[in-house]
Amino acid sequence: MSATQPQVRLVTNFGEIILELNAEKAPITVANFLSYVDNGHYNGTIFHRVISNFMIQGGGFDEDFNQKPTQATIENEADNGLGNVNGSIAMARTMDPHSASAQFFINVKDNDFLNHSSKTMQGWGYAVFGRVIEGMDIVESIKAVETGNRQGHQDVPRENVVIERAERVAAE
């Protein structure tokens, strides 16, 4: 990827994570993610699901565990050739392949089973739209937090892992 790809800084209470987004291979997903960044949606959200040998997920709940309102769902771009590998960022969704809105996850290991295999309910996969280019040590710290159950959700960090703000980074 070139320096012209958009970059986003996630400032968390654990440190900073810099993402490089792939607007070439995932134009709809990147535009959607950047619209949430630009309107401040991610500011004050938490990583609400942390599974140490799988991924860390955030972007949907505030610090009081209230779900934030979202924009319309987007088309799944998981058939773009990008894989759910360690350090990649992908869109979270429900069982409906085309239900992604604001929530995303960062893979903390290679998760090939999440990749697109066919345009069926089971085969759609999860759309990767970028990767961590700085701050994997922060991701590693987050994946190690103690988790439990909260308001009917499992794998929730016992102490909030907060995205204090998300902002675009100017390309150098």
Side-chain angles (χ1 to χ4, degrees), residues 51-136:
I51 304 174
S52 67
N53 61 350
F54 180 36
M55 55 90 224
I56 64 172
Q57 181 175 333
F61 292 86
D62 67 18
E63 291 183 64
D64 295 322
F65 218 73
N66 297 308
Q67 195 155 5
K68 292 189 73 170
T70 60
Q71 302 166 40
T73 57
I74 58 169
E75 182 182 332
N76 189 327
E77 293 180 300
D79 59 345
N80 63 16
L82 299 175
N84 281 277
V85 296
N86 189 19
S88 63
I89 182 171
M91 291 306 293
R93 61 173 176 81
T94 65
M95 293 301 289
D96 174 355
H98 305 288
S99 62
S101 57
Q103 292 188 34
F104 62 89
F105 61 92
I106 298 172
N107 288 287
V108 298
K109 72 181 214 26
D110 292 353
N111 289 310
D112 296 344
F113 70 97
L114 297 178
N115 293 340
H116 175 81
S117 60
S118 64
K119 292 187 178 185
T120 63
M121 287 296 278
Q122 295 76 28
W124 257 109
Y126 292 77
V128 172
F129 63 99
R131 64 190 178 101
V132 175
I133 58 169
E134 284 178 44
M136 256 327 266

Coordinates of all heavy atoms in Angstrom, one line a residue, residues 51-136:
I51 N -11.1 -11.3 23.0 CA -10.8 -12.8 23.1 C -9.3 -12.9 22.7 O -8.9 -12.7 21.6 CB -11.7 -13.6 22.2 CG1 -13.2 -13.3 22.5 CG2 -11.4 -15.1 22.3 CD1 -14.2 -13.9 21.6
S52 N -8.5 -13.2 23.7 CA -7.0 -13.1 23.6 C -6.4 -13.9 22.4 O -5.4 -13.6 21.9 CB -6.3 -13.5 24.9 OG -6.5 -14.9 25.1
N53 N -7.0 -15.0 22.0 CA -6.4 -15.8 20.9 C -7.3 -15.7 19.6 O -7.3 -16.5 18.8 CB -6.3 -17.3 21.3 CG -7.7 -17.9 21.6 OD1 -8.7 -17.2 21.7 ND2 -7.8 -19.2 21.7
F54 N -8.0 -14.5 19.5 CA -8.9 -14.3 18.4 C -8.9 -12.9 17.9 O -8.3 -12.6 16.9 CB -10.3 -14.8 18.8 CG -11.4 -14.6 17.8 CD1 -11.1 -14.9 16.4 CD2 -12.7 -14.3 18.2 CE1 -12.1 -14.8 15.5 CE2 -13.7 -14.2 17.2 CZ -13.4 -14.4 15.9
M55 N -9.5 -12.0 18.6 CA -9.6 -10.6 18.2 C -10.0 -9.7 19.3 O -10.4 -10.1 20.4 CB -10.5 -10.5 17.0 CG -11.9 -11.0 17.2 SD -13.0 -9.7 17.8 CE -13.9 -10.6 19.1
I56 N -9.9 -8.3 19.1 CA -10.4 -7.3 20.0 C -11.5 -6.5 19.2 O -11.2 -6.1 18.0 CB -9.3 -6.4 20.6 CG1 -8.6 -5.6 19.5 CG2 -8.4 -7.3 21.4 CD1 -7.6 -4.6 20.1
Q57 N -12.7 -6.3 19.7 CA -13.8 -5.7 19.0 C -14.2 -4.4 19.7 O -14.3 -4.4 20.9 CB -14.9 -6.7 18.9 CG -16.1 -6.2 18.1 CD -17.2 -7.2 17.9 OE1 -16.9 -8.4 17.8 NE2 -18.4 -6.8 17.8
G58 N -14.5 -3.4 18.9 CA -15.0 -2.2 19.5 C -15.8 -1.4 18.5 O -16.2 -1.8 17.4
G59 N -16.1 -0.1 18.9 CA -16.8 0.8 18.1 C -18.3 0.9 18.2 O -19.0 1.7 17.5
G60 N -18.9 0.1 19.2 CA -20.3 0.1 19.3 C -20.9 0.6 20.6 O -22.1 0.9 20.6
F61 N -20.1 0.6 21.6 CA -20.7 0.9 23.0 C -19.9 2.0 23.6 O -18.7 2.1 23.5 CB -20.6 -0.4 23.9 CG -21.5 -1.5 23.5 CD1 -21.1 -2.4 22.5 CD2 -22.7 -1.6 24.1 CE1 -21.9 -3.5 22.2 CE2 -23.6 -2.7 23.7 CZ -23.2 -3.6 22.7
D62 N -20.6 2.8 24.4 CA -19.9 3.9 25.2 C -19.4 3.3 26.5 O -19.6 2.1 26.7 CB -20.8 5.1 25.4 CG -22.0 4.9 26.3 OD1 -22.0 3.9 27.0 OD2 -22.9 5.7 26.2
E63 N -18.7 4.1 27.3 CA -18.1 3.6 28.5 C -19.1 3.1 29.5 O -18.8 2.4 30.4 CB -17.3 4.8 29.1 CG -16.1 5.1 28.3 CD -15.2 6.2 29.0 OE1 -14.7 5.9 30.1 OE2 -15.0 7.3 28.4
D64 N -20.4 3.5 29.4 CA -21.4 3.0 30.3 C -22.1 1.8 29.7 O -23.2 1.3 30.3 CB -22.5 4.1 30.6 CG -21.9 5.3 31.3 OD1 -21.0 5.0 32.2 OD2 -22.2 6.4 31.0
F65 N -21.6 1.3 28.6 CA -22.1 0.1 28.0 C -23.5 0.3 27.3 O -24.3 -0.6 27.2 CB -22.1 -1.1 28.9 CG -21.7 -2.4 28.2 CD1 -20.4 -2.6 27.9 CD2 -22.7 -3.4 27.9 CE1 -20.0 -3.8 27.2 CE2 -22.3 -4.6 27.2 CZ -21.0 -4.8 26.9
N66 N -23.7 1.5 26.9 CA -24.9 1.8 26.1 C -24.5 1.7 24.6 O -23.4 2.2 24.2 CB -25.4 3.3 26.3 CG -25.8 3.4 27.8 OD1 -26.6 2.7 28.3 ND2 -25.2 4.5 28.4
Q67 N -25.3 1.0 23.8 CA -25.0 0.9 22.4 C -25.3 2.2 21.7 O -26.3 2.9 22.0 CB -25.9 -0.2 21.8 CG -25.4 -0.6 20.4 CD -25.8 -2.0 20.0 OE1 -26.5 -2.7 20.7 NE2 -25.3 -2.5 18.9
K68 N -24.3 2.6 20.9 CA -24.4 3.9 20.2 C -25.2 3.7 18.9 O -25.2 2.7 18.2 CB -23.0 4.5 19.8 CG -22.3 4.8 21.1 CD -21.0 5.6 20.8 CE -21.3 7.0 20.3 NZ -20.1 7.8 20.2
P69 N -26.0 4.8 18.5 CA -26.8 4.7 17.2 C -25.8 4.7 16.1 O -24.7 5.2 16.2 CB -27.6 6.0 17.2 CG -27.0 6.9 18.2 CD -26.2 6.0 19.2
T70 N -26.2 4.0 15.0 CA -25.3 3.9 13.8 C -26.0 4.4 12.6 O -27.2 4.6 12.5 CB -24.9 2.4 13.6 OG1 -26.1 1.6 13.4 CG2 -24.2 1.9 14.8
Q71 N -25.2 4.5 11.5 CA -25.7 4.8 10.2 C -26.2 3.5 9.6 O -26.2 2.5 10.2 CB -24.6 5.4 9.3 CG -23.9 6.7 9.9 CD -22.6 7.0 9.2 OE1 -22.5 6.9 8.0 NE2 -21.6 7.4 10.0
A72 N -26.7 3.6 8.3 CA -27.2 2.4 7.6 C -26.1 1.4 7.5 O -24.9 1.7 7.5 CB -27.7 2.8 6.3
T73 N -26.5 0.1 7.4 CA -25.5 -1.0 7.2 C -24.9 -0.9 5.8 O -25.5 -0.2 4.9 CB -26.2 -2.3 7.4 OG1 -27.3 -2.5 6.5 CG2 -26.6 -2.5 8.9
I74 N -23.8 -1.5 5.6 CA -23.1 -1.5 4.3 C -23.0 -2.9 3.6 O -23.1 -3.9 4.3 CB -21.7 -0.8 4.4 CG1 -20.8 -1.6 5.4 CG2 -21.8 0.6 4.8 CD1 -19.4 -1.2 5.5
E75 N -22.7 -2.8 2.4 CA -22.5 -4.1 1.6 C -21.1 -4.7 2.1 O -20.2 -4.0 2.3 CB -22.4 -3.7 0.1 CG -22.2 -4.9 -0.8 CD -22.1 -4.5 -2.3 OE1 -22.6 -3.5 -2.6 OE2 -21.4 -5.3 -3.0
N76 N -21.2 -6.0 2.2 CA -20.0 -6.8 2.6 C -19.0 -6.8 1.5 O -19.3 -7.3 0.4 CB -20.4 -8.2 3.1 CG -19.3 -8.9 3.7 OD1 -18.1 -8.8 3.4 ND2 -19.7 -9.8 4.6
E77 N -17.7 -6.3 1.7 CA -16.7 -6.4 0.7 C -15.6 -7.4 1.1 O -14.5 -7.3 0.7 CB -16.0 -5.0 0.6 CG -16.9 -3.9 0.1 CD -16.2 -2.6 0.0 OE1 -15.7 -2.1 1.0 OE2 -16.1 -2.1 -1.1
A78 N -16.0 -8.5 1.7 CA -15.1 -9.5 2.2 C -14.4 -10.3 1.0 O -13.4 -11.0 1.2 CB -15.7 -10.5 3.1
D79 N -15.0 -10.2 -0.2 CA -14.5 -10.9 -1.4 C -13.4 -10.0 -2.1 O -13.2 -10.2 -3.3 CB -15.6 -11.2 -2.3 CG -16.4 -10.0 -2.8 OD1 -16.3 -8.9 -2.2 OD2 -17.1 -10.2 -3.8
N80 N -12.7 -9.2 -1.3 CA -11.7 -8.2 -1.9 C -10.3 -8.8 -1.9 O -9.4 -8.1 -2.3 CB -11.8 -6.9 -1.2 CG -11.4 -7.0 0.3 OD1 -10.8 -8.0 0.8 ND2 -11.7 -6.0 1.1
G81 N -10.1 -10.0 -1.5 CA -8.8 -10.6 -1.5 C -7.9 -10.3 -0.3 O -6.8 -10.9 -0.1
L82 N -8.4 -9.5 0.6 CA -7.7 -9.2 1.9 C -8.0 -10.2 2.9 O -9.2 -10.6 3.1 CB -8.0 -7.8 2.4 CG -7.6 -6.6 1.5 CD1 -8.1 -5.3 2.1 CD2 -6.1 -6.6 1.3
G83 N -7.1 -10.8 3.6 CA -7.3 -11.8 4.6 C -7.4 -11.3 6.1 O -6.8 -10.3 6.4
N84 N -8.1 -12.1 6.9 CA -8.2 -11.8 8.3 C -6.9 -12.4 9.0 O -6.9 -13.5 9.5 CB -9.4 -12.5 8.9 CG -10.7 -11.6 8.6 OD1 -10.9 -10.7 9.4 ND2 -11.4 -12.0 7.6
V85 N -5.8 -11.6 8.8 CA -4.5 -12.1 9.4 C -4.2 -11.2 10.6 O -4.8 -10.2 10.8 CB -3.4 -11.9 8.3 CG1 -3.6 -12.9 7.1 CG2 -3.2 -10.5 7.8
N86 N -3.2 -11.7 11.4 CA -2.8 -10.9 12.6 C -2.5 -9.5 12.2 O -1.8 -9.2 11.3 CB -1.6 -11.6 13.2 CG -1.2 -11.1 14.5 OD1 -2.0 -10.4 15.2 ND2 0.0 -11.3 14.9
G87 N -3.2 -8.6 13.0 CA -3.0 -7.1 12.7 C -3.9 -6.5 11.7 O -3.9 -5.3 11.6
S88 N -4.8 -7.3 11.1 CA -5.7 -6.7 10.1 C -6.9 -6.2 10.9 O -7.3 -6.7 11.9 CB -6.1 -7.7 9.0 OG -6.8 -8.8 9.6
I89 N -7.6 -5.2 10.3 CA -8.9 -4.7 10.8 C -10.0 -5.0 9.9 O -9.9 -4.9 8.7 CB -8.8 -3.2 11.1 CG1 -10.1 -2.7 11.8 CG2 -8.4 -2.4 9.9 CD1 -10.0 -1.2 12.2
A90 N -11.1 -5.5 10.5 CA -12.3 -6.0 9.7 C -13.5 -5.5 10.3 O -13.5 -5.1 11.5 CB -12.3 -7.5 9.6
M91 N -14.6 -5.5 9.6 CA -15.9 -5.1 10.1 C -16.6 -6.2 10.8 O -16.6 -7.3 10.3 CB -16.8 -4.6 8.9 CG -16.3 -3.3 8.3 SD -16.1 -1.9 9.5 CE -17.8 -1.6 10.0
A92 N -17.1 -5.9 12.0 CA -18.0 -6.9 12.7 C -19.4 -6.8 12.1 O -19.8 -5.8 11.5 CB -18.0 -6.5 14.2
R93 N -20.2 -7.8 12.2 CA -21.5 -7.9 11.7 C -22.3 -8.9 12.4 O -21.8 -9.7 13.2 CB -21.5 -8.2 10.2 CG -20.8 -9.5 9.8 CD -21.0 -9.8 8.4 NE -20.4 -11.0 7.9 CZ -20.9 -12.3 8.1 NH1 -22.0 -12.5 8.7 NH2 -20.2 -13.3 7.6
T94 N -23.6 -9.0 12.1 CA -24.5 -10.1 12.7 C -24.4 -11.3 11.7 O -23.6 -11.3 10.8 CB -25.9 -9.6 12.8 OG1 -26.4 -9.3 11.5 CG2 -26.0 -8.3 13.6
M95 N -25.3 -12.2 11.8 CA -25.4 -13.3 10.9 C -25.6 -12.9 9.5 O -25.3 -13.6 8.5 CB -26.5 -14.3 11.4 CG -26.1 -15.0 12.7 SD -24.6 -15.9 12.7 CE -25.1 -17.3 11.7
D96 N -26.3 -11.8 9.3 CA -26.6 -11.2 8.0 C -25.3 -10.7 7.4 O -24.6 -9.8 8.0 CB -27.6 -10.1 8.1 CG -27.8 -9.3 6.8 OD1 -27.1 -9.6 5.8 OD2 -28.7 -8.5 6.8
P97 N -24.8 -11.2 6.3 CA -23.5 -10.8 5.7 C -23.4 -9.3 5.5 O -22.3 -8.8 5.5 CB -23.4 -11.6 4.4 CG -24.4 -12.7 4.6 CD -25.4 -12.3 5.5
H98 N -24.5 -8.7 5.2 CA -24.5 -7.3 4.8 C -25.0 -6.4 6.0 O -25.8 -5.4 5.7 CB -25.2 -7.0 3.5 CG -24.7 -7.9 2.4 ND1 -23.5 -7.7 1.8 CD2 -25.3 -9.0 1.9 CE1 -23.4 -8.6 0.9 NE2 -24.4 -9.5 0.9
S99 N -24.6 -6.7 7.2 CA -25.1 -5.9 8.3 C -24.1 -5.1 9.1 O -24.4 -4.5 10.1 CB -25.8 -6.9 9.3 OG -24.8 -7.8 9.8
A100 N -22.9 -5.0 8.5 CA -21.9 -4.2 9.2 C -22.3 -2.7 9.2 O -22.8 -2.2 8.3 CB -20.5 -4.3 8.5
S101 N -22.0 -2.0 10.4 CA -22.2 -0.6 10.4 C -21.0 0.1 11.1 O -20.1 0.5 10.3 CB -23.5 -0.3 11.2 OG -23.5 -0.8 12.5
A102 N -20.9 0.2 12.4 CA -19.8 0.9 13.0 C -18.8 0.0 13.7 O -17.6 0.3 13.8 CB -20.4 1.9 14.1
Q103 N -19.2 -1.2 14.2 CA -18.3 -2.1 15.0 C -17.3 -2.7 14.1 O -17.5 -3.1 12.9 CB -19.1 -3.1 15.7 CG -19.9 -2.5 16.8 CD -20.5 -3.6 17.7 OE1 -20.0 -4.7 17.9 NE2 -21.7 -3.3 18.2
F104 N -16.1 -2.8 14.6 CA -14.9 -3.3 13.9 C -14.1 -4.2 14.8 O -14.3 -4.2 16.1 CB -14.0 -2.2 13.3 CG -13.4 -1.4 14.4 CD1 -12.2 -1.7 15.0 CD2 -14.1 -0.2 14.9 CE1 -11.7 -0.9 16.0 CE2 -13.5 0.6 15.9 CZ -12.3 0.2 16.5
F105 N -13.2 -5.0 14.3 CA -12.3 -5.8 15.1 C -10.9 -5.8 14.5 O -10.8 -5.7 13.3 CB -12.9 -7.2 15.4 CG -13.1 -8.1 14.2 CD1 -12.1 -8.9 13.8 CD2 -14.3 -8.1 13.5 CE1 -12.3 -9.8 12.7 CE2 -14.5 -8.9 12.5 CZ -13.5 -9.7 12.0
I106 N -10.0 -6.0 15.4 CA -8.6 -6.2 15.0 C -8.2 -7.6 15.3 O -8.3 -8.1 16.5 CB -7.6 -5.2 15.7 CG1 -8.0 -3.7 15.4 CG2 -6.2 -5.5 15.4 CD1 -7.3 -2.7 16.2
N107 N -7.8 -8.3 14.3 CA -7.4 -9.7 14.5 C -6.1 -9.8 15.2 O -5.2 -9.0 15.0 CB -7.2 -10.4 13.1 CG -8.5 -10.7 12.4 OD1 -9.2 -11.5 12.7 ND2 -8.8 -9.9 11.3
V108 N -6.0 -10.7 16.2 CA -4.8 -10.8 17.0 C -4.1 -12.1 16.7 O -3.1 -12.5 17.3 CB -5.0 -10.7 18.5 CG1 -5.5 -9.2 18.9 CG2 -6.0 -11.7 19.1
K109 N -4.5 -12.8 15.7 CA -3.9 -14.0 15.1 C -4.5 -14.2 13.7 O -5.4 -13.5 13.4 CB -4.0 -15.2 16.0 CG -5.4 -15.9 16.0 CD -5.4 -17.1 16.9 CE -6.2 -18.2 16.6 NZ -6.6 -18.6 15.3
D110 N -3.9 -15.1 12.9 CA -4.5 -15.3 11.6 C -5.8 -16.1 11.8 O -5.8 -17.1 12.5 CB -3.5 -16.2 10.8 CG -2.2 -15.4 10.4 OD1 -2.2 -14.2 10.6 OD2 -1.3 -16.0 9.8
N111 N -6.9 -15.5 11.3 CA -8.2 -16.1 11.4 C -8.8 -16.4 10.0 O -9.7 -15.8 9.6 CB -9.1 -15.2 12.2 CG -8.7 -15.1 13.6 OD1 -8.6 -16.1 14.3 ND2 -8.6 -13.8 14.1
D112 N -8.1 -17.4 9.4 CA -8.5 -17.7 8.0 C -10.0 -18.1 7.9 O -10.6 -17.9 6.8 CB -7.6 -18.9 7.5 CG -6.2 -18.5 7.4 OD1 -5.8 -17.3 7.4 OD2 -5.3 -19.5 7.3
F113 N -10.6 -18.7 8.9 CA -12.0 -19.1 8.8 C -12.9 -18.0 8.7 O -14.1 -18.2 8.4 CB -12.3 -20.0 10.0 CG -12.4 -19.3 11.3 CD1 -13.6 -18.8 11.8 CD2 -11.2 -19.0 12.1 CE1 -13.7 -18.1 13.0 CE2 -11.3 -18.3 13.3 CZ -12.5 -17.8 13.8
L114 N -12.4 -16.7 8.9 CA -13.3 -15.5 8.7 C -13.2 -15.0 7.3 O -13.9 -14.0 7.0 CB -12.9 -14.4 9.7 CG -13.0 -14.7 11.2 CD1 -12.5 -13.6 12.0 CD2 -14.4 -15.1 11.6
N115 N -12.4 -15.6 6.5 CA -12.2 -15.0 5.1 C -13.4 -15.4 4.2 O -14.1 -16.4 4.5 CB -10.9 -15.6 4.5 CG -9.7 -15.0 5.2 OD1 -9.8 -13.9 5.9 ND2 -8.5 -15.6 5.1
H116 N -13.6 -14.7 3.2 CA -14.6 -14.9 2.2 C -14.3 -16.2 1.4 O -13.2 -16.5 1.0 CB -14.7 -13.8 1.2 CG -15.6 -14.0 0.0 ND1 -17.0 -13.8 0.2 CD2 -15.4 -14.5 -1.2 CE1 -17.5 -14.1 -1.0 NE2 -16.6 -14.5 -1.8
S117 N -15.3 -17.1 1.3 CA -15.1 -18.3 0.5 C -16.2 -18.4 -0.6 O -16.0 -19.0 -1.6 CB -15.1 -19.6 1.4 OG -16.4 -19.7 2.1
S118 N -17.4 -17.9 -0.4 CA -18.4 -17.9 -1.4 C -19.5 -16.9 -1.0 O -19.6 -16.5 0.2 CB -19.1 -19.3 -1.4 OG -19.7 -19.6 -0.2
K119 N -20.3 -16.5 -2.0 CA -21.4 -15.5 -1.7 C -22.6 -16.2 -1.2 O -23.7 -16.2 -1.8 CB -21.7 -14.7 -3.0 CG -20.5 -13.8 -3.3 CD -20.7 -12.8 -4.4 CE -19.5 -12.0 -4.6 NZ -19.7 -10.9 -5.6
T120 N -22.5 -16.9 -0.1 CA -23.6 -17.6 0.6 C -23.6 -17.1 2.1 O -22.6 -16.5 2.5 CB -23.4 -19.1 0.6 OG1 -22.2 -19.4 1.4 CG2 -23.2 -19.7 -0.8
M121 N -24.6 -17.4 2.8 CA -24.7 -17.0 4.2 C -23.5 -17.4 5.0 O -23.0 -16.7 5.8 CB -26.0 -17.5 4.8 CG -27.3 -16.8 4.4 SD -27.3 -15.0 4.8 CE -27.9 -15.1 6.5
Q122 N -23.1 -18.7 4.8 CA -21.9 -19.2 5.5 C -20.6 -18.8 5.0 O -19.6 -18.7 5.7 CB -22.0 -20.7 5.5 CG -23.2 -21.3 6.2 CD -24.5 -21.3 5.5 OE1 -24.5 -21.3 4.2 NE2 -25.6 -21.2 6.2
G123 N -20.5 -18.4 3.7 CA -19.3 -18.2 3.1 C -18.8 -16.8 2.9 O -17.7 -16.5 2.5
W124 N -19.7 -15.8 3.2 CA -19.4 -14.4 3.0 C -18.1 -13.9 3.7 O -17.3 -13.2 3.1 CB -20.5 -13.5 3.4 CG -21.3 -13.0 2.2 CD1 -22.5 -13.4 1.8 CD2 -20.8 -12.1 1.1 NE1 -22.9 -12.8 0.6 CE2 -21.8 -12.0 0.2 CE3 -19.6 -11.4 0.9 CZ2 -21.7 -11.2 -0.9 CZ3 -19.5 -10.6 -0.2 CH2 -20.6 -10.5 -1.1
G125 N -18.0 -14.3 4.9 CA -16.8 -13.9 5.6 C -16.9 -12.4 6.2 O -18.0 -11.8 6.1
Y126 N -15.8 -11.9 6.7 CA -15.8 -10.6 7.3 C -14.8 -9.7 6.6 O -13.7 -10.1 6.3 CB -15.3 -10.8 8.8 CG -16.4 -11.5 9.6 CD1 -16.6 -12.9 9.5 CD2 -17.3 -10.7 10.4 CE1 -17.6 -13.5 10.2 CE2 -18.3 -11.4 11.1 CZ -18.4 -12.7 11.0 OH -19.4 -13.4 11.7
A127 N -15.3 -8.6 6.2 CA -14.5 -7.7 5.3 C -13.3 -7.0 6.0 O -13.5 -6.2 6.9 CB -15.5 -6.6 4.7
V128 N -12.1 -7.4 5.6 CA -10.9 -6.7 6.0 C -10.8 -5.4 5.2 O -11.0 -5.4 4.0 CB -9.7 -7.6 5.8 CG1 -8.4 -6.9 6.1 CG2 -9.8 -8.8 6.7
F129 N -10.4 -4.3 5.9 CA -10.3 -3.0 5.2 C -9.0 -2.3 5.5 O -8.9 -1.1 5.2 CB -11.6 -2.2 5.4 CG -11.8 -1.8 6.8 CD1 -11.5 -0.5 7.2 CD2 -12.4 -2.6 7.7 CE1 -11.7 -0.1 8.5 CE2 -12.7 -2.2 9.0 CZ -12.3 -1.0 9.4
G130 N -8.1 -2.9 6.2 CA -6.9 -2.2 6.6 C -6.1 -3.1 7.6 O -6.4 -4.3 7.8
R131 N -5.0 -2.4 8.1 CA -4.2 -3.1 9.0 C -3.5 -2.1 10.0 O -3.4 -0.9 9.7 CB -3.1 -3.9 8.3 CG -2.1 -2.9 7.5 CD -1.2 -3.7 6.5 NE -0.4 -2.7 5.8 CZ 0.9 -2.4 6.1 NH1 1.5 -3.1 7.1 NH2 1.6 -1.6 5.4
V132 N -3.1 -2.7 11.1 CA -2.3 -1.9 12.1 C -0.9 -1.7 11.6 O -0.2 -2.7 11.2 CB -2.3 -2.6 13.5 CG1 -1.4 -1.9 14.5 CG2 -3.7 -2.8 14.0
I133 N -0.5 -0.5 11.5 CA 0.9 -0.2 11.0 C 1.8 0.3 12.2 O 3.0 0.2 12.1 CB 1.0 0.7 9.8 CG1 0.3 2.1 10.1 CG2 0.4 0.1 8.6 CD1 0.6 3.2 9.1
E134 N 1.2 0.7 13.3 CA 1.9 1.1 14.5 C 1.0 0.8 15.7 O -0.2 1.0 15.6 CB 2.2 2.6 14.5 CG 3.4 3.0 13.6 CD 3.6 4.6 13.7 OE1 3.5 5.1 14.8 OE2 3.7 5.2 12.7
G135 N 1.6 0.3 16.8 CA 0.9 0.1 18.0 C 0.4 -1.4 18.2 O -0.5 -1.6 19.0
M136 N 1.0 -2.3 17.5 CA 0.6 -3.7 17.7 C 0.9 -4.1 19.1 O 0.2 -5.0 19.7 CB 1.3 -4.7 16.7 CG 0.5 -5.3 15.6 SD -1.3 -5.6 15.8 CE -1.3 -7.3 16.3

